[in-house]
Amino acid sequence: MDKPLKTPPPYPIASVDHALRAATILQMEGGATVSEIAERLGVARSTAHRLLAMLVYRDFAVQDEDRTYRAGPVLELAAHSQSLVSRLRAAALPHLRRVVDLLDETANLIVRTGDTARFIAGVECGQALRVGSREGMVFPAHRTTAGLLLLADLTDEELDEVYAEERYRERPADRPDLGRLREELRRLRRNGFALNQERSERGLVAVGVPVRDRDGTALAGLSVSMPGVRYDPHRLRPLVATLDAAARALERDLATRD
């Protein structure tokens, strides 16, 4: 099995983590109040206010006249951007919450950029033992559920370009075996879903399906993650059916918004 991804540092600094997550929220979503940041981070309003004040001081955020905080000069993505990621996230959140209500497991939406997969939205379940939100985090695409689904949408030529040998000269160990990867992607295309059993992180199981645009191109991956001890193979088909229904509903919402 591959080594686990995103192992927390041995001496995590909660305040730094909170500040980075707050900056990510402002960058990707456009704006938030002190109360909204406090709720998202699970901290007191006073703590959220201090975090945002420091982001403003360092030009990572600005405060509008209505007291809403938005991305500052350092974060070049505009607050009111109608980028694909912004639209996807806004449309997906109600569907992710619905998936969590039905399955009581953490749900995610992921997009691919090159050979990486970014978690752009996540909703945690309420169980004590659960997979935490990966929102804003980036992983190698070939080691995540949704990343594999999005790679499966590529032609052989496009896959060769993504994993061109020259791109990995400084990190050859990170380049996947393309023969094995192509075989795996062929299976995913036939199945229409991906199952990740401890491939990205030890003790984690994830199931995902693609979200497509009107032309059938995969835009994102919608997945549900759970502790491995709670995964039952007999539940796989119902899990996929629930995710498929959510993905189709999200696709309809995106088409309506477009």
Side-chain angles (χ1 to χ4, degrees):
M1 184 179 69
D2 291 334
K3 62 183 180 181
L5 293 179
K6 298 291 185 182
T7 302
Y11 304 103
I13 304 173
S15 60
V16 174
D17 184 50
H18 289 152
L20 292 173
R21 289 178 60 195
T24 299
I25 290 168
L26 298 183
Q27 183 187 41
M28 296 177 65
E29 300 175 36
T33 64
V34 171
S35 296
E36 289 168 342
I37 292 294
E39 181 180 359
R40 292 283 293 278
L41 300 183
V43 299
R45 277 176 51 89
S46 58
T47 300
H49 186 271
R50 291 195 297 271
L51 289 170
L52 290 165
M54 184 56 67
L55 292 179
V56 170
Y57 175 66
R58 290 297 183 184
D59 290 328
F60 281 81
V62 293
Q63 188 179 26
D64 288 348
E65 292 181 0
D66 64 358
R67 307 185 72 81
T68 296
Y69 290 85
R70 304 192 185 281
V74 175
L75 303 176
E76 295 180 355
L77 292 179
H80 296 292
S81 169
Q82 291 301 306
S83 69
L84 175 61
V85 167
S86 297
R87 289 188 291 115
L88 272 172
R89 188 182 191 284
L93 279 171
H95 300 286
L96 295 180
R97 295 187 183 107
R98 175 63 174 162
V99 168
V100 173
D101 287 343
L102 291 171
L103 300 177
D104 203 14
E105 300 291 358
T106 298
N108 306 287
L109 190 76
I110 302 97
V111 296
R112 181 187 66 85
T113 303
D115 63 351
T116 64
R118 175 182 289 274
F119 285 66
I120 64 170
V123 177
E124 292 186 14
C125 69
Q127 302 205 58
L129 177 62
R130 64 181 181 270
V131 176
S133 173
R134 303 296 190 263
E135 188 172 313
M137 297 177 72
V138 177
F139 297 87
H142 70 283
R143 291 178 61 187
T144 67
T145 307
L148 287 168
L149 288 165
L150 297 170
L151 290 172
D153 210 49
L154 301 180
T155 64
D156 284 345
E157 293 74 18
E158 290 169 332
L159 194 68
D160 286 339
E161 184 177 347
V162 169
Y163 292 106
E165 208 167 342
E166 57 267 23
R167 296 189 177 191
Y168 290 83
R169 284 180 183 148
E170 304 299 321
R171 49 189 182 103
D174 293 340
R175 185 170 181 259
D177 182 312
L178 288 191
R180 292 174 58 187
L181 181 58
R182 283 196 182 91
E183 180 58 34
E184 182 169 17
L185 297 181
R186 280 193 287 270
R187 289 199 302 271
L188 292 184
R189 292 186 196 106
R190 290 195 300 268
N191 294 337
F193 67 90
L195 171 64
N196 176 349
Q197 293 183 274
E198 299 193 335
R199 178 170 185 155
S200 55
E201 298 181 60
R202 189 182 300 276
L204 182 150
V205 173
V207 181
V209 299
V211 176
R212 301 185 181 277
D213 63 15
R214 290 177 175 178
D215 298 325
T217 301
L219 298 174
L222 194 158
S223 68
V224 63
S225 304
M226 67 198 75
V229 294
R230 209 155 54 227
Y231 173 66
D232 180 357
H234 295 97
R235 290 184 60 209
L236 179 58
R237 288 297 173 183
L239 284 173
V240 171
T242 300
L243 292 172
D244 267 331
R248 302 298 82 77
L250 173 54
E251 290 167 355
R252 290 192 294 273
D253 278 1
L254 289 170
T256 300
R257 292 178 182 225
D258 288 342

